[in-house]
Amino acid sequence: MGHSRYDSLPKTKRWRQVIEAFSRLDSTPEELVAATSQAAGDSLWQTRKDPLVFKSCWLLLTLPLLARSDQLDQWLREVGTPPGGDYKRDLLTGTRKFLDQAATRTPLRNIFSETARLAFFETLATAFNQSNLVLFGAEPEQVRKSLSRYASPEGFQTLAETFFRAYLKRSLANVLEKEIPNHHGIAERFAGANDTRELEESLNAYCAETTALLSQYARDWYAKNAIHRQPTEGRTRAFAAYAVEKLVEDLVREQAQ
């Protein structure tokens, strides 16, 4: 379901409750997802000022604007990836370098920090797929046109919702994937493939519901901050921080219902 580079869960009461929920044969997929999101809330909250979260939002905001104004080539040269080969590959390499620099400047903060990078590339791939852009060999004009269609409140709304949904899902999936192998087999909570599939379906639904309100905030923020004036890093950093705060607040609201 996601990608994990960590060996064990934190040893707090809430994380112990997650393990306990996995140990029960009668626990529902919804209960497992809810317990995991509750335990993950504090760690997710800490990422509201994480540089990879902010820089991912900054790229999703500015790349379409650069594409629309024909400044994408200049940006690629500034990040050390002058265009000249496969333009889409050049763009992916340039964004990877950009995020690598952000990660190098600030040490990894918690188990979810690196997830933002993966969520960003998932979002970019989704944006290209929705534009029917071929995987490799795309002409520069095709790539620019594909990105520039997101330079609007509705476009940024789509990118932000996709990013934070992927961010939340990957963050929670990191935890779920740690515990599934410990409860897999005959007479265990995960006796077969259907159990795992049901859990993933529940996770997908949960993340879609949790990020629904966030997408409207992203649209309104763009209309206020990026249509009639040049977006700044400061305002975008504030957007990223508030978006994570809102995401965690929605987690708490879902759990209370």
Side-chain angles (χ1 to χ4, degrees), residues 8-24 32 35-36 38-40 175 179 183:
S8 60
L9 299 179
K11 307 299 182 182
T12 64
K13 179 179 178 180
R14 285 184 176 179
W15 287 114
R16 290 198 301 272
Q17 290 173 339
V18 171
I19 298 173
E20 186 177 307
F22 271 86
S23 300
R24 288 174 26 230
L32 295 177
T36 302
Q38 183 175 10
V175 178
E179 281 306 301
H183 309 277

Side-chain angles (χ1 to χ4, degrees), residues 132-198:
N132 296 318
L133 194 68
V134 296
L135 183 60
F136 294 114
E139 295 294 328
E141 184 57 32
Q142 290 178 293
V143 176
R144 287 191 287 267
K145 184 177 180 180
S146 176
L147 283 174
S148 62
R149 66 192 292 261
Y150 293 99
S152 68
E154 295 77 12
F156 184 67
Q157 176 182 18
T158 297
L159 294 178
E161 182 175 8
T162 303
F163 170 75
F164 282 105
R165 183 183 301 176
Y167 179 57
L168 179 59
K169 180 184 176 182
R170 285 179 175 274
S171 296
L172 299 183
N174 283 343
V175 178
L176 296 172
E177 288 181 345
K178 288 182 179 66
E179 281 306 301
I180 288 176
N182 298 328
H183 309 277
H184 194 280
I186 299 175
E188 294 285 352
R189 175 60 185 81
F190 293 90
N194 285 340
D195 294 324
T196 304
R197 184 161 47 256
E198 289 175 357

Side-chain angles (χ1 to χ4, degrees), residues 8-228:
S8 60
L9 299 179
K11 307 299 182 182
T12 64
K13 179 179 178 180
R14 285 184 176 179
W15 287 114
R16 290 198 301 272
Q17 290 173 339
V18 171
I19 298 173
E20 186 177 307
F22 271 86
S23 300
R24 288 174 26 230
L25 295 179
D26 62 344
S27 61
T28 66
E30 292 76 17
E31 288 174 337
L32 295 177
V33 172
T36 302
S37 65
Q38 183 175 10
D42 289 343
S43 294
L44 284 170
W45 177 266
Q46 292 172 18
T47 67
R48 68 193 186 280
K49 296 182 180 180
D50 190 281
L52 285 178
V53 175
F54 155 56
K55 291 296 186 179
S56 294
C57 290
W58 176 249
L59 287 176
L60 294 174
L61 171 67
T62 58
L63 288 179
L65 294 172
L66 291 170
R68 188 178 63 182
S69 59
D70 287 330
Q71 299 181 53
L72 201 53
D73 288 8
Q74 178 182 341
W75 181 83
L76 287 171
R77 285 190 286 269
E78 289 174 355
V79 297
T81 311
D86 183 307
Y87 198 82
K88 184 178 177 182
R89 183 179 288 134
D90 292 339
L91 179 64
L92 292 174
T93 301
T95 54
R96 187 172 292 109
K97 286 184 177 180
F98 183 85
L99 293 177
D100 284 345
Q101 291 172 0
T104 300
R105 295 192 194 102
T106 306
L108 202 61
R109 296 191 176 190
N110 65 37
I111 63 175
F112 297 141
S113 296
E114 185 68 14
T115 307
R117 186 204 306 265
L118 301 174
F120 167 78
F121 285 110
E122 180 179 335
T123 303
L124 193 60
T126 299
F128 284 147
N129 289 338
Q130 290 177 346
S131 301
N132 296 318
L133 194 68
V134 296
L135 183 60
F136 294 114
E139 295 294 328
E141 184 57 32
Q142 290 178 293
V143 176
R144 287 191 287 267
K145 184 177 180 180
S146 176
L147 283 174
S148 62
R149 66 192 292 261
Y150 293 99
S152 68
E154 295 77 12
F156 184 67
Q157 176 182 18
T158 297
L159 294 178
E161 182 175 8
T162 303
F163 170 75
F164 282 105
R165 183 183 301 176
Y167 179 57
L168 179 59
K169 180 184 176 182
R170 285 179 175 274
S171 296
L172 299 183
N174 283 343
V175 178
L176 296 172
E177 288 181 345
K178 288 182 179 66
E179 281 306 301
I180 288 176
N182 298 328
H183 309 277
H184 194 280
I186 299 175
E188 294 285 352
R189 175 60 185 81
F190 293 90
N194 285 340
D195 294 324
T196 304
R197 184 161 47 256
E198 289 175 357
L199 180 60
E200 183 163 11
E201 290 172 356
S202 179
L203 178 62
N204 287 335
Y206 183 85
C207 293
E209 293 172 4
T210 303
T211 54
L213 294 177
L214 179 58
S215 69
Q216 184 61 46
Y217 165 67
R219 183 186 187 281
D220 295 342
W221 181 90
Y222 188 100
K224 181 179 180 180
N225 290 278
I227 290 184
H228 300 299

